[in-house]
Structures are given as structure tokens and as C-alpha cells.
Amino acid sequence: MDESESASAAPVLELQNVSKSFSGDRSLLDRLRGRTSAAKAVCDASLAVHSGETVGVVGESGCGKSTLAKLLTGQLTPDCGQVLLDGTPAGGLAERSPTQRRRVGVVLQHVRGSFDPRWSVRRSLSEALDGPNPASRSNFDSTLDDVSGLLRSVDLSPQLADRYPRALSGGQLQRVALARTLAHDPDVIVLDEPVSGLDVATQATILNLLADVQNQFGVGYVFISHDLDVVRYLADRVAVMYAGEIVESGPATQLFDQPNHPYTDALLGAIPSDDPRDDPPNPLHGDPPDPTNRPTGCSFHPRCPAATAACTERRPEFEAVGGTRVRCLHAPDATSDRDSDDYHGDDLHGGDHRSDDHRSDTPSERATHQPDVTNANRP
């Protein structure tokens, strides 16, 4: 996709100012502490995914990443805001047509639990090929029209078709899960921590496979992870979540090289360096806020070294700053025109969403220099 095409391309899947809370009974201790009954899991989040690109979503455990994934796939319905497919409101699964449902696939972290242990690989993939509404797959790739083709598409031998989940390794089962998702001919696949439970070598193999599948079929990814090294390798653009909010977003190269939010900077500073001469990592201190009792003003101010009195009173807007968008009162050179055309191509809502020098390797070149996932930022 060239620059003129990407500038006008509409997102395939989009969240617009989406929020989601979960209610629950309050204990006596909760009431004494002033906690509300609703836990705000996602707050005013906007995200867009274009065809053939990867959007990474990162943050600490409990920041709302998995809830965001369920909103994208329709497993949850937002309390407010919209989920859009090609600009059309999609809502939850119950509101989506069969065609809309198949357009967004998902591969989960604990993939073994998503397979029926009594079903062979062949039966699982055959069921995915047969429904729902196979006639809706108008652009279905002919190489994926049978079980053998699906297995070959994820670098597995068709001879594995008659095996059961218990006979497959974690990496093999993750590939079968990807093949099962491809059987529905999705436009976007939501990958929720897809490599976190795998050994380093298998992680690298799966990441290269994901890149190859994307190159071949043009599918978009939402790649959710706490592993910054992995996200940096795979993603074109990145959204950083903290306490249910997207606090910074932008092109991966820009965000990793010049972060503009103190939380993003803290996450990057916590990654150990390969060079023993470098300073030791500086872990972020403190804990994220209680989702039932969020702080006033900026949600990050209790842990932020740059916080001022204003941070405790004012909730920051999502400002365009030096190529990324940031929710921070003190981010440098923030522009008041957040919808300026100068920044339209550099955030999560359009423009040239694939940088020229990012992830330009061919599949064979990527296989020779796999990502270093040994220094990943793990909880």
C-alpha cells in the first residue's frame, strides 16, 4: 500500500471512545473505603486497525488489555462508545451478522483450553471450515479450502490432522489455533498474549509465522502483550494502556525510540539491556490504581515522578506530541489541534500506518534474525 492509498484507507475495525465497567457487590470494607461497586476496566479508549497492519497493545497486568480484546471481538458490549466494522456499528456478538462475526478472529493465550480434547485436529478444522455461513467468505483463499491446506498455511504437516490436542506441543497447538481462525477468512485477528506461555525458540518461530501469514493473506492483527521486545518486533503501531486508558499511541519506531508519556518511558526503562556496561533496569515503583476507586485527575499521577498539583485535578486530553498521541499534561510541545492533518498519519486513526523502514524484511530474512525475547518485560 503506497502513501496516497494509506492516507485515504479506512480502518477495518475500530473502537471509538469505548468504555466498559463491571459491577459487583461491595463488602463492608469496600463501603468504608469509599469504593464504588463498578470496576472501570476500559475508559474512553479509541483504536483503529487497518488491513494488513499490526497494532500492538501493551501494559501491565490488569490494565484492561484483555477487556479491550473482548470488546473488539464482540464478546463484550461497551457501556458507551462504538465498535465499528468498515464504519458500520457492530456491537456485541449477538448484534453481529454471521459475516461480521467471521471478519474478526481471535487466538487466545491459553489456547489448549479452547480445543475439545475429544476432537481430532481434523474435526476441529473441518467444523471451522463448514460454518458459520461458509458462503459469506467471498474472498476466501483457495489454498485454505481443506484441512491439509490450513495445516500447510501454518507450517504444519497434514499428517497431524488425526492427532488430538493432548498429543501436540504448545507451539503446534498455537499454530492449529491460528489455522482454525484462518478457516473463517478473517480481516482482523485479535491475538491475546499468543506466545507468552511458549519457550523462547518457539516464540520466535510463531512470530515469524504470524508475519508470513500476514504477508500472504493481508490480515490485520491486534497483538496484545506485556512483552515489549516482541511487540517492537511485530507491530507497526502501538497503544500503551494504563488503568484502562490508552495513555500513548503511535508508530512503533517513534514510540519506542522517543516515548512521550512517563509511563511508556518507565516500561521501556524496566527492560534489561544486552550490554553489561549499561545501567541496570529501573523498575516502575508502586501499583496501578484500584479500578473501583480511580484517582482524580491523571490516573498515573500517584506513580509519576513528574506529577504536579495540576495532575491531581485535571484529566489530560489525548494530545498530539511529536508523532504520537499522549494523555499527559506535561508532555512536551503538545498541540491544541489534536485533529490536525500534520498528526493524522502518525496516530492510531489513519494515515501512513506502516512506516517505510519497519518490519521490511522478507520472511526468509526474518528467519535468520529472530527477535531477542530473552530480555522481555515480564510481570
Coordinates of all heavy atoms in Angstrom, one line a residue, residues 135 175 251 254 280:
A135 N -20.6 -19.6 2.8 CA -20.8 -18.9 1.6 C -20.4 -17.4 1.7 O -20.2 -16.7 0.7 CB -22.3 -19.0 1.1
R175 N -0.3 -23.1 16.5 CA -0.5 -23.0 15.0 C -1.8 -23.5 14.6 O -2.4 -23.0 13.6 CB 0.7 -23.8 14.4 CG 2.1 -23.2 14.6 CD 3.1 -24.0 13.8 NE 4.4 -23.8 14.3 CZ 5.5 -24.1 13.6 NH1 5.4 -24.6 12.4 NH2 6.7 -23.9 14.1
P251 N 3.3 5.3 15.9 CA 4.1 4.3 15.2 C 5.1 3.7 16.1 O 5.6 4.3 17.0 CB 4.8 5.2 14.2 CG 4.0 6.4 14.0 CD 3.4 6.6 15.3
Q254 N 8.6 5.3 16.4 CA 8.5 6.5 17.1 C 8.3 6.3 18.6 O 9.0 6.9 19.5 CB 7.4 7.4 16.5 CG 7.2 8.7 17.3 CD 8.2 9.7 16.9 OE1 8.8 9.7 15.8 NE2 8.6 10.6 17.9
P280 N 21.6 -0.7 35.1 CA 20.6 -1.7 35.4 C 19.2 -1.1 35.1 O 19.0 0.1 35.2 CB 20.8 -2.1 36.8 CG 21.5 -0.9 37.4 CD 22.4 -0.3 36.4

